[in-house]
Amino acid sequence: MRLLVIGSGGREHALVWKLAQSPYVSQMWCAPGNAGIAQEAVARAGLPVDCVNIGAEDLPRLLAFALETKIDLTVVGPDNPLSLGIVDLFQKNGLRIWGVNQKAAQFESSKVFSQKFMEKYGIPTAAAGTFSDAVPARAFARSLGKCVVKADGLALGKGVLMCANAAEAEKAVDEIMVGKTFGAAGARVVIQEYLEGVEISLHALCDGTTAKFFPTSQDHKRALDGDLGLNTGGMGTYSPTPFLTDMQLADAAKKILEPFMRGCAAENIDFRGLLYPGIMLTKAGPKVLEFNARFGDPETQVYLTRLENDLVELLEASVSGTLAKLELKWKPLSSVCVVMASGGYPGSYPKGKIISGLDAANALSNTKVFHAGTVLKNGQIVTNGGRVLGVTALGKDLKAAQAAAYAAVEKIRFDGAHFRQDIGAKALQ
């Protein structure tokens, strides 16, 4: 099979790395890819993965490339091409592609759509209001006081503002709706009650009728230790978490996945791809904070290092509607991913800083450094994004995996590098 992976982040590096191990794959391309992806090779043929200089949102050029190169399966990593309708476009042109179609992508591209869907189909979530006018939005935010204000559209994982009181809530509404901090994504907002509890990430592979849950993981969204600082796209993650037993996970599937799939059937939404609900474990049980419609980043890094199945087989089953026949298998190990970010992230940050120590880190056992924001310049790998690397390690338990990941982090250097030192700490308390 000839595969094309779309995207350039840590999630896409993990997808390429895992897909390249499949005996089904003879050749692989990634558009646009990054410096780490360009170092991967297809196991079966030993051929390097080719990075193609086409942006993930350049749908016409991606289509032309896939047709010309006779791609057998395209795998979409990021949310933007999905919400732009890449799956519909490729299918219309007779190409096999994995990812949700444009209608299903609304679960992520519109928080208003998602909130209304959850309320309609009885999926446990926070009490909320949706607004397209700042005046009633401010009044509702004031009435809640402590709340969460979310831009409706896609905002690179940063369009969610946590507000401790009414003044902060009003300021958040003004920033998003009046100041247009997130541009057109903030034309509408969802304002939710502030849920207390432990937040975890769930993932489920779907094929239109069947959905299969992955084990639990926990992302660390805030930039600084102790969950302080600004919201980011994710500073690290680990799997599994100790917060849900197998029985509780099955119960969550019953309360969240079943009504979700039922609702999709009723609304004529053919959901084939990856459903990623962010969950708050409250005293009243698990509640959905929001839905994403693709693999999480950095969750993908810990899931795919633990996954025993051939990923090509799983994605093929998701596309063809035969997921019920497959069983997901996981290594009985823990995986930890620590994100090394550029100085200044999630605000503005410099690029082009030389990265050293990558070979030394990758040489450690059960360790893989996934590249997110890197590029090759004059023969050297340099920084090219906010989140630069996802340093990932497996261990017999969480403590061992955590120690291994941080041992690898210590070997890597670039000017201004910052990372959280408490990834996985909540589970070890």
Side-chain angles (χ1 to χ4, degrees):
M1 287 177 74
R2 296 152 76 82
L3 258 62
L4 170 63
V5 175
I6 292 171
S8 62
R11 163 186 47 226
E12 288 75 37
H13 188 181
L15 286 166
V16 166
W17 170 80
K18 184 69 177 171
L19 290 164
Q21 296 166 28
S22 172
Y24 297 107
V25 180
S26 53
Q27 223 174 332
M28 201 187 313
W29 292 263
C30 186
N34 61 39
I37 290 171
Q39 293 180 331
E40 298 295 340
V42 173
R44 176 178 146 183
L47 288 172
V49 174
D50 273 336
C51 287
V52 191
N53 192 20
I54 305 174
E57 292 165 40
D58 192 343
L59 272 47
R61 282 184 67 207
L62 289 167
L63 174 66
F65 177 81
L67 288 167
E68 193 184 309
T69 320
K70 296 185 168 57
I71 297 294
D72 296 301
L73 179 67
T74 298
V75 177
V76 188
D79 44 23
N80 273 8
L82 294 170
S83 66
L84 290 169
I86 190 169
V87 171
D88 312 66
L89 177 69
F90 273 46
Q91 286 175 345
K92 202 164 68 188
N93 284 275
L95 292 167
R96 283 176 77 73
I97 181 166
W98 179 82
V100 297
N101 61 29
Q102 197 168 21
K103 197 173 181 185
Q106 287 181 98
F107 283 107
E108 179 158 13
S109 64
S110 171
K111 290 190 171 61
V112 170
F113 171 85
S114 203
Q115 184 70 33
K116 288 181 172 170
F117 180 94
M118 287 191 275
E119 288 165 5
K120 185 173 179 181
Y121 292 101
I123 295 167
T125 186
T130 58
F131 303 92
S132 52
D133 182 335
V135 176
R138 272 192 221 106
F140 185 74
R142 264 198 312 274
S143 74
L144 287 178
K146 193 174 184 182
C147 64
V148 182
V149 181
K150 299 180 175 184
D152 175 45
L154 298 175
L156 298 172
K158 298 173 197 164
V160 177
L161 302 180
M162 313 285 203
C163 309
N165 52 49
E168 281 185 20
E170 283 195 63
K171 184 170 170 260
V173 169
D174 284 342
E175 272 181 32
I176 296 174
M177 300 191 85
V178 183
K180 306 276 186 240
T181 314
F182 305 111
R188 297 190 296 175
V189 295
V190 172
I191 303 174
Q192 290 182 333
E193 65 171 321
Y194 194 100
L195 294 178
E196 304 279 358
V198 175
E199 190 176 342
I200 62 165
S201 302
L202 293 179
H203 277 54
L205 190 60
C206 307
D207 73 353
T209 51
T210 301
K212 300 216 166 191
F213 254 152
F214 286 18
T216 55
S217 65
Q218 186 174 50
D219 191 9
H220 297 62
K221 285 282 183 205
R222 297 297 187 100
L224 307 173
D225 286 8
D227 291 332
L228 300 172
L230 294 169
N231 242 9
T232 71
M235 291 300 292
T237 187
Y238 66 96
S239 173
T241 74
F243 305 117
L244 278 187
T245 63
D246 288 349
M247 198 183 287
Q248 287 168 321
L249 188 59
D251 186 52
K254 207 173 201 62
K255 289 179 178 152
I256 295 163
L257 274 190
E258 286 182 18
F260 177 85
M261 296 306 280
R262 254 199 324 274
C264 282
E267 302 286 335
N268 202 21
I269 297 168
D270 184 14
F271 199 102
R272 293 173 197 241
L274 205 290
L275 179 70
Y276 155 24
I279 304 282
M280 187 67 83
L281 302 175
T282 72
K283 284 182 178 148
K287 293 193 176 185
V288 177
L289 295 167
E290 63 184 23
F291 284 123
N292 301 287
R294 38 76 198 174
F295 271 107
D297 186 351
E299 289 90 346
T300 314
Q301 291 86 311
V302 293
Y303 281 135
L304 296 189
T305 45
R306 292 190 62 213
L307 181 69
E308 289 187 341
N309 300 72
D310 184 309
L311 186 58
V312 172
E313 285 183 0
L314 292 183
L315 301 189
E316 279 283 346
S318 171
V319 172
S320 60
T322 55
L323 201 52
K325 296 176 186 170
L326 295 178
E327 183 194 345
L328 270 55
K329 293 177 182 161
W330 305 91
K331 290 173 187 161
L333 301 170
S334 288
S335 185
V336 171
C337 173
V338 178
V339 169
M340 297 185 75
S342 293
Y345 176 78
S348 58
Y349 50 83
K351 293 181 181 182
K353 304 293 181 187
I354 294 167
I355 306 169
S356 64
L358 290 168
D359 290 342
N362 270 319
L364 297 171
S365 64
N366 291 324
T367 302
K368 177 69 185 176
V369 180
F370 292 110
H371 291 229
T374 66
V375 69
L376 194 63
K377 208 170 184 181
N378 304 324
Q380 288 185 302
I381 294 176
V382 300
T383 65
N384 192 44
R387 293 187 295 170
V388 178
L389 303 166
V391 184
T392 308
L394 286 168
K396 67 179 193 314
D397 54 28
L398 178 58
K399 207 166 186 178
Q402 186 192 51
Y406 280 108
V409 165
E410 287 306 317
K411 297 204 175 288
I412 300 168
R413 295 274 182 277
F414 58 87
D415 187 32
H418 84 94
F419 55 90
R420 281 185 56 163
Q421 307 203 27
D422 62 349
I423 304 301
K426 288 191 193 87
L428 296 170
Q429 279 165 6

